Amino acid sequence: MDPVPMLLAMTYRAMGDQFHDRLKQIGLEPLRPAHGYVFRFLKEKRATTVDIGQHLGVTKQAAAKIVNELDEWGYVLREPHPTDKRAQYVTLTTKGRDYLKFADSLWSDLENEMAEAIGADNLDTIKQSLAAYLQHVYGEDQPGLRPVW
């Protein structure tokens, strides 16, 4: 049997593949995992493209490309930065917030399907155990969701 980190990575990949397959089925824009990390990052705040790039672990140019796509599709809005004329703040639009709610619902559906496959009690145990491990490693200062390119 594979080590736990490999199983977790493969499970995340399997669920992500199912998530994106369903997005394609309903005809949404060609959103990629990097877009999802930006949605999550902007959920509670606004940020500059530099902030987004640092969060994603990518160059400013790569982050700008992602922001441009999300802007073209209407998911984010750019606003002037109050003190830096070269920078802009990026925030989620109503469409972006609605998408995030939709994505949460879709992830919930996938989690329910996992519960059907492995048993609800097993899934609850996994969730509690993973939360306990994160608490053990990070304590109360747990990092936010970040990509692991």
Side-chain angles (χ1 to χ4, degrees), residues 22-31 75 95 99 102:
R22 291 181 189 185
L23 291 181
K24 284 180 197 170
Q25 289 172 3
I26 61 172
L28 284 181
E29 294 83 4
L31 294 165
Y75 291 111
K95 180 180 178 181
Y99 170 78
F102 169 75

Side-chain angles (χ1 to χ4, degrees), residues 22 41 44:
R22 291 181 189 185
F41 187 61
E44 302 295 331

Side-chain angles (χ1 to χ4, degrees), residues 42-98:
L42 296 175
K43 182 178 180 179
E44 302 295 331
K45 62 182 158 215
R46 61 186 182 171
T48 65
T49 301
V50 171
D51 297 332
I52 292 168
Q54 288 173 342
H55 176 72
L56 295 176
V58 300
T59 65
K60 179 183 172 188
Q61 292 78 11
K65 181 180 181 216
I66 293 167
V67 169
N68 286 339
E69 290 170 334
L70 292 174
D71 184 33
E72 288 174 17
W73 296 327
Y75 291 111
V76 299
L77 174 68
R78 297 177 196 191
E79 304 170 298
H81 192 284
T83 59
D84 184 348
K85 300 269 188 232
R86 297 170 296 156
Q88 294 179 325
Y89 275 125
V90 180
T91 58
L92 290 176
T93 62
T94 300
K95 180 180 178 181
R97 293 194 180 286
D98 288 346

Side-chain angles (χ1 to χ4, degrees), residues 2-21 23 31-41 55-56 99 103 106-107 110-111 114 118 123 126 130 144-149:
D2 290 317
V4 170
M6 302 302 168
L7 291 170
L8 289 171
M10 289 185 293
T11 301
Y12 176 72
R13 176 64 187 259
M15 291 184 83
D17 288 348
Q18 290 182 11
F19 180 90
H20 287 279
D21 286 348
L23 291 181
L31 294 165
R32 299 182 311 277
H35 295 116
Y37 288 110
V38 173
F39 279 106
R40 296 285 170 200
F41 187 61
H55 176 72
L56 295 176
Y99 170 78
L106 186 51
W107 282 119
L110 291 168
E111 189 174 304
M114 179 183 268
I118 68 171
L123 182 58
I126 290 169
L130 292 174
L145 182 64
R146 298 177 60 111
V148 287
W149 312 114

